[in-house]
Amino acid sequence: MELTSCNFKCHVVFKTNGQLESLISIPRSQARKQPDDSNMSSYSDEIDHNITQLKQCTTIPPFINSPGVFQGDRNLLEATLPRLELLMFAIFFTSHVFHFILKRFSIPLLVSQILAGMILGKAGLGLQADYRRIMFGIDSDQLFGTIGGFGFQLFVFLNGVKMDLSLIRKTGRMALCSGVLSTVMPVLFGAVTTSIVSSYLGLLELDKLSLSLVMLVHSMTPFPVTCSFVSDLELTHSELGRLGLSAALSSELLTQFLACNALLVGIFYQYHYRGALKTVAITTAFIILTVFVVRPAMLWVIRQTPEGRPVRDLYIYFIVLGALVSGLIFQFIGLNMFLGSLAFGLAVPAGPPLASALVEKFECMVTGVLIPLFMAMCTMKANFREISFDKKLTKGAAIVVTVVSLTKFGSCLVTLFYYRMPKQDAFALAFIISSKGIVELGAYALISESGVFTEGMFSFLAITILVSATISPIFVNWLYDPSRKYAGYQKRNIMHSKDLCVLACIYRPDNVTSTINFLQALCPTLESPVSVCALHLIKISGRATSLFISHQKQKKSLSSRSISENVILSFSNFWRNNCEIESVNVFTAISPTKFMHQDICTLALDELASFIVLPFHLKWLVDGSIESQDSRFRSLNCCVLERAPCSVGILIDHGNQVNSISRESSREQSLLVVLIFFGGEDDREALVLAKHMSQHRNISLTIIHFVLSTGEIKSDWEKMQDSDRLRNIKPDFKEHREVKYIEETVSDGLETSNKIRSILHKYDFFIVGRRKDVETIQTAGLDYMNEYPELGAIGNLLASMETTERYSVLVVQQQISL
């Protein structure tokens, strides 16, 4: 047997019919050396895969179109275009037949595409000689592989566009640690395992390289895989999905950084320092150009795009062209071309209008047409008849994959347990981070084409990806409760927030004044800064799809009058007149009413809001009668209370609209605020908010603590927490003369109701806790006639009183704990 150092050894014979007959000897690798006698047994295990001989005929020059079966003697499928169309039809038909069955079990389309490739590949229809001759010819591989690789490049670019680098900062240490450790720990344990297995099995140098590459690829947490996984399970706007994406993003950045350094080291050894210096110089210049030229240009494009209008097609075409050129540049300097497209995609500002326009225009073509072809082409090369665990290399690969997978899953799980994530959600997130998909399969196919993997080893690795992509979504759906989609795993409430971020929702124009006046009363300071996000919610009308606008990004309006002009101007003036406010951002969401809670909760997650302010659905006249009510907004408030990732307050204007105050106002314009305190989580949250407001020089705060005349009946722990929180507040009474503390003794709910009614005329603003499902003697009987359960017993009492007194009420609910 002859081992040559070339990639292809061809014996050619020209024929009169214009065809070229080739006898091609393909060595597994030019790096494999002739083994000595001691390694002959190991060598003989792989000898069948060292050289594969194919005898094929191809046409020079190849022709694309066929004259048809009725107009010539050529075979229709000898033309490349009909062959491509036939393969695409077979892939789409087969994959969707599988998906029609598997989607009932929440198994993503990716699995069906892999199965379609296996059916159409060497292990399926490839067993038939004529089919194998047509679909696995040299020109077929080049054609299908080129189109699939182009699709994968666009896929990587679009995933770079979807990446929001601020996710790492927003989700905190838990996501960062889980992402980094789920990559580093498998590499460490996998490296040790690879070394031990290689020594124990007596593998050759090329086989050791194969196991090392398997270990590295299986240790990755590619962002495109996690993004597709989360999107398929409809978890993109959930806290669990955000954590998974953030962990994958941190892991992806670490992986790409290490990969670039490894490639540079390889270039240094191959071309010495001059080649490495050229690569470093070009890469640095590319990064500087992208950060300081390309990204500002994209921000300029966003500013030039009118609100509610799409981005001009010319800008979109230039961006896609830039992504392709970036890949070409990285290919030219010896780096991975997909890395160039990914880096260019990261320069696109996340979210609407630019990133969403790119995704909307190209994702359908990429994920619907090109990626299925790429997936099928990867798995069509798998030959499962070649899998044999009697062969040392396959056995070693199985051991390495098992160790790396368990280490990755376990390291992620331990990290999440350390941060006290609920067990079920921790297991679900570990499955999300550990899932495998298109990136790993593409990497293995690329390595296999280079001759490093045997056919049996690649087939085994394809099976492992298929198994991972199948069982991960099943377990995630079984473990994760979608009703807690927006439930937070971190403390996002007023009590535990050093920087208070308030999300103020606007339903109607008359909500603006009362909301801004309440925000003015929060009294931001250097020690306790406040940032504000205002969300104007508009019912969709005259549009087929929802629209979300960030007025900080899109400065240009479609006309002289923006759809939310009054809201924008009001909050701009508010920020101008309150320089202590850290930031004010205004957003507009145009969507169906039944989906508005998703806009609110998603924005609260994105902006790390600690408190959401919702307007009450009723509006009163000056005489105390109801002017209008909207049951749709009442349902919206209930949905937000059930799902919010942070604390929530419902602002009720009982004909008062919260007096406008400022630091320059005189003492005569002070706001009289009262906190009604019974105890419990919601009341303690309201107490912290009241303390925040009491720092304003023009606010007079009174805390009324309702206690039982016969002694309280309450759990010791709750009583200790209430006492501790009150004890922390009381020292402020001496510093602020405008803060008073009063204890009222009551025996039942009726007496409580009478006492509250008697003080309606004394105060402008009431703060109460919602206290849902909390039963105490002080409020006994008040729940029986609860007209507005979303307000709690005391909130409902204040909102439903028939009185001509003018006052406002804020009902506070602390973040729901998991």
Side-chain angles (χ1 to χ4, degrees), residues 335-351:
L335 297 179
N336 193 322
M337 64 179 298
F338 303 129
L339 183 60
S341 299
L342 176 65
F344 193 86
L346 289 173
V348 180

Side-chain angles (χ1 to χ4, degrees), residues 8 18 63 112 167 172 238 262 278 293 360 440 455 481 497 505 584 586 593 597 622 626 630 703 761-762 789 796 811:
F8 297 96
F63 61 96
S112 300
L167 273 178
S238 68
K278 290 180 181 179
V293 178
E360 183 179 350
E440 290 88 353
E455 197 172 38
D481 182 6
S497 296
C505 299
V584 175
V586 183
T593 308
H597 68 277
V622 177
I626 296 177
D630 195 329
I703 300 174
H761 66 284
K762 295 182 180 180
N796 172 75
V811 180

Side-chain angles (χ1 to χ4, degrees), residues 168 380 752 811:
I168 299 177
M380 283 174 67
T752 299
V811 180

Side-chain angles (χ1 to χ4, degrees), residues 324-530:
L324 299 178
V325 171
S326 299
L328 184 63
I329 293 173
F330 272 64
Q331 184 79 25
F332 174 75
I333 62 178
L335 297 179
N336 193 322
M337 64 179 298
F338 303 129
L339 183 60
S341 299
L342 176 65
F344 193 86
L346 289 173
V348 180
L354 188 54
S356 58
L358 284 166
V359 173
E360 183 179 350
K361 284 182 177 295
F362 291 97
E363 189 169 38
C364 180
M365 180 66 181
V366 173
T367 61
V369 178
L370 299 178
I371 288 302
L373 181 63
F374 175 77
M375 295 292 295
M377 284 303 301
C378 290
T379 51
M380 283 174 67
K381 300 174 183 178
N383 190 353
F384 304 109
R385 295 178 300 167
E386 299 294 333
I387 300 177
S388 174
F389 290 101
D390 294 332
K391 297 179 180 179
K392 294 182 179 181
L393 185 56
T394 307
K395 186 186 300 182
I399 296 173
V400 171
V401 167
T402 302
V403 171
V404 170
S405 300
L406 292 178
T407 305
K408 188 177 187 67
F409 189 88
S411 60
C412 180
L413 204 59
V414 170
T415 305
L416 299 176
F417 284 161
Y418 174 79
Y419 284 97
R420 298 181 180 179
M421 177 180 278
K423 291 183 179 180
Q424 281 189 276
D425 293 346
F427 274 97
L429 185 55
F431 274 110
I432 291 175
I433 294 177
S434 303
S435 61
K436 303 300 174 187
I438 181 174
V439 174
E440 290 88 353
L441 185 60
Y444 287 142
L446 182 63
I447 297 171
S448 180
E449 286 181 358
S450 67
V452 178
F453 289 166
T454 63
E455 197 172 38
M457 185 177 180
F458 172 73
S459 303
F460 167 74
L461 294 172
I463 288 292
T464 63
I465 294 174
L466 175 64
V467 172
S468 174
T470 303
I471 65 174
S472 293
I474 295 176
F475 276 103
V476 171
N477 278 322
W478 178 58
L479 292 166
Y480 183 63
D481 182 6
S483 65
R484 297 184 292 105
K485 183 177 182 179
Y486 300 102
Y489 303 107
Q490 300 170 342
K491 295 292 185 182
R492 292 180 182 169
N493 51 45
I494 305 172
M495 190 179 300
H496 295 89
S497 296
K498 183 178 179 181
D499 301 337
L500 181 60
C501 179
V502 180
L503 173 57
C505 299
I506 306 298
Y507 299 159
R508 302 184 300 261
D510 54 279
N511 298 145
V512 175
T513 303
S514 57
T515 302
I516 288 180
N517 290 341
F518 165 71
L519 294 173
Q520 285 178 329
L522 289 178
C523 188
T525 62
L526 293 177
E527 296 77 17
S528 302
V530 175

Side-chain angles (χ1 to χ4, degrees), residues 119-261:
I119 295 297
L120 300 173
K122 294 181 179 179
L125 297 179
L127 299 176
Q128 209 277 334
D130 292 335
Y131 177 88
R132 185 169 61 251
R133 177 182 59 82
I134 295 172
M135 291 301 179
F136 291 96
I138 297 175
D139 50 352
S140 297
D141 281 346
Q142 291 177 343
L143 173 65
F144 302 154
T146 300
I147 296 176
F150 174 72
F152 186 71
Q153 183 179 5
L154 290 179
F155 175 78
V156 171
F157 164 68
L158 288 179
N159 277 274
V161 171
K162 295 177 185 178
M163 289 186 187
D164 184 2
L165 297 180
S166 63
L167 273 178
I168 299 177
R169 174 182 58 83
K170 291 179 179 180
T171 48
R173 294 181 179 178
M174 179 167 58
L176 180 62
C177 292
S178 59
V180 171
L181 290 178
S182 63
T183 300
V184 173
M185 298 305 295
V187 170
L188 296 178
F189 278 82
V192 174
T193 304
T194 300
S195 178
I196 295 174
V197 170
S198 299
S199 300
Y200 178 76
L201 296 178
L203 299 180
L204 300 175
E205 290 299 322
L206 185 61
D207 295 336
K208 293 179 182 179
L209 175 62
S210 300
L211 292 186
S212 298
L213 291 175
V214 170
M215 177 270 296
L216 291 173
V217 173
H218 237 72
S219 298
M220 296 190 307
T221 308
F223 182 86
V225 173
T226 306
C227 183
S228 301
F229 187 92
V230 169
S231 178
D232 290 337
L233 295 181
E234 298 181 351
L235 297 175
T236 305
H237 297 300
S238 68
E239 179 75 341
L240 186 73
R242 297 299 176 94
L243 285 173
L245 291 174
S246 182
L249 181 57
S250 59
S251 176
E252 177 83 0
L253 294 177
L254 176 63
T255 302
Q256 296 298 343
F257 174 78
L258 296 176
C260 285
N261 283 276

Side-chain angles (χ1 to χ4, degrees), residues 24 84 87 115 143 187 207 271 291 330 361 364 377 395 454 461 476 511 531 553 600 608 625 647 692 696 700 781 792:
I24 305 174
L84 174 64
L87 179 64
L115 292 174
L143 173 65
V187 170
D207 295 336
Y271 302 107
V291 173
F330 272 64
K361 284 182 177 295
C364 180
M377 284 303 301
K395 186 186 300 182
T454 63
L461 294 172
V476 171
N511 298 145
S531 57
K553 290 184 177 180
I600 297 173
L608 295 182
S625 60
S647 297
H692 212 292
H696 200 292
S700 175

